Amino acid sequence: MDALLSVEQVNAYFGAKQVLFDVDLQVAAGQKVAIVGESGSGKTVLAQGIMRLNPDVSWQGQIQYAGQNLLAMPEKQLAKIRGRDIGMVFQEPMTALNPVFTVGNQIAEVYTQHLGLTRAQAWQAAIDILQETGIQDAATKVKAYPFQLSGGQRQRAMIAMAVAASPKLLIADEPTTALDVAVQAQIVQLLQRLQAEYHMALLYISHDLRLVERFADEVVVMQQGHVVEHAPTQTLFSAAQHPYTQELLNAKPENMCNPDVDQAHTVLAIENVGVEVKQAASWFQTKKIRLLEPVSLRLQRGETMGIVGESGSGKTTLAKALMRLLPASGKVDIAGKDWLALSMNELTPERHHMQMVFQDPFSAFNPRMTMEQALSEPLLIQKIALNDSEREQRLLQVLDDVDLPHDSLKRYPHEFSGGQRQRLAIARALVVRPQVLILDEPTSALDVRLQKHILRLLAKLQQQYGLSMLIISHDLDVIASLSQRMLVLQHGKVVEQGEVAAIFAAPNHPYTQNLLQHR
């Protein structure tokens, strides 16, 4: 079978640092090839190299597309291939889509630039391709800005843009990251359907081995810039040869539930917490939209509760409501005070009782702050009385807690890997010694080995500090690993709540049954 894409003895360098080493792989027309490996293995560097997207990388070797060496191609000629012959679905659609243009404008641009359609023709084609990717009411959604779409809708819009010009090769870089299991399955089915319909070659980059096993024809395993194994999918999953591949396949979350839950001590009591926002209905009128129906729960000292549900179900809305990042009704009682009844001035010194680790640690940090400044900021804002020496000792202690070296304090966020940034985000939350930790998708962008390390770290910290935790995750294995109880949200409503073991064994609600079916 002739290769449409052929990567031959490719080496890549960031300055003097080599990041890819003699990489070889081939993708034939209509074939689905997956690249797997941990963060920093070189997957995304290679994908971006095929498109020549990163000017800071220098290259050796050849990347042949349809007989042409992309690494030697002039930029003007390469610009005609990008989007037309080779499409790319990026890892994070919220940052890859332009926030100041509607999704329709961004998709229509592909048709006008590459296919020569008129503006009116391109707009209708954008509606058609959005509808083809499964977005309901495409004629309305085409006018939406990226922030107005759910995670799954944004990913579908990104896929629509990537396949608009019917490319011969589609590169999908972590296309299901941070999506719940039901939406993950839908996105994979969509890619399979479009790949078959357009007879595209597909290069699929993922850390989710479960999806790769269902989806790919062949699997390429990368470790620290090297290809360590390349085999047909069935062969690799049944008889992996390389120790690293075997380790990836065996790196499933284990049961790490805290056995020391203090059932007599409630640290967080939530009573009828709901969220309602105003939305423009016309130029002169607004209407109220209910994002979250009233939720009630109690969290004991040392307990972990998992919160699951599809994109847009209200998981993050609940977390932000508890942290007073969204206006909410109801009562949030922690340390004897109702957070929703406090003024912002009264709330600030109380915030150390409950802290949140946000979904994307890279965007959660100020890129201009060193980690010393970032970790010190909560102590200063919340007026925690420490002198300079005590504050330094607190920062060093929290770095020890999350297993990072002390010299991390002098570095900036971009100098760390994804797994290290996640540890730093946890460190920033822990530096004020909270009673309750809210974690929003703490492992969603991490490969299976790093997921396991972060979960072990959280279990260790919970035992060490007696933490109570609310964990938001679309990964049911993560929920099962750490949580004693779970709460299932759908369309802003609690549809099921109870012990994890009982719900996993016999879910009552059809939606929960559907989630567990895709596990």
Side-chain angles (χ1 to χ4, degrees), residues 190-201:
L190 170 63
L191 287 171
Q192 286 178 310
R193 180 170 60 79
L194 293 173
Q195 185 264 341
E197 184 177 333
Y198 294 110
H199 195 61
M200 294 182 298

Side-chain angles (χ1 to χ4, degrees), residues 381-446:
I381 290 175
Q382 294 171 39
K383 297 181 172 59
I384 294 176
L386 298 174
N387 60 37
D388 290 347
S389 175
E390 290 170 335
R391 184 164 63 247
E392 181 183 5
Q393 287 305 309
R394 179 75 68 90
L395 299 188
L396 296 178
Q397 177 61 54
V398 80
L399 287 177
D400 289 340
D401 289 341
V402 298
D403 302 325
L404 285 175
H406 291 180
D407 63 6
S408 301
L409 292 177
K410 303 303 180 186
R411 296 160 64 189
Y412 290 87
H414 73 273
E415 298 180 77
F416 297 92
S417 69
Q420 289 172 327
R421 279 196 292 266
Q422 192 64 274
R423 289 171 183 268
L424 288 164
I426 294 169
R428 183 173 61 179
L430 288 177
V431 76
V432 295
R433 305 281 169 83
Q435 297 178 54
V436 178
L437 195 59
I438 301 175
L439 299 116
D440 190 0
E441 299 284 3
T443 62
S444 64
L446 304 178

Side-chain angles (χ1 to χ4, degrees), residues 14 24 38 196 198 211 213 286 366 435 475 509:
F14 282 98
D24 290 295
E38 62 190 336
Y198 294 110
L211 289 178
E213 184 177 15
T286 61
N366 186 330
Q435 297 178 54
D475 190 328
H509 197 276

Side-chain angles (χ1 to χ4, degrees), residues 215-231:
F215 183 68
D217 301 318
E218 293 186 6
V219 182
V220 176
V221 183
M222 294 189 69
Q223 181 187 27
Q224 297 177 354
H226 298 266
V227 173
V228 298
E229 193 158 359
H230 183 181

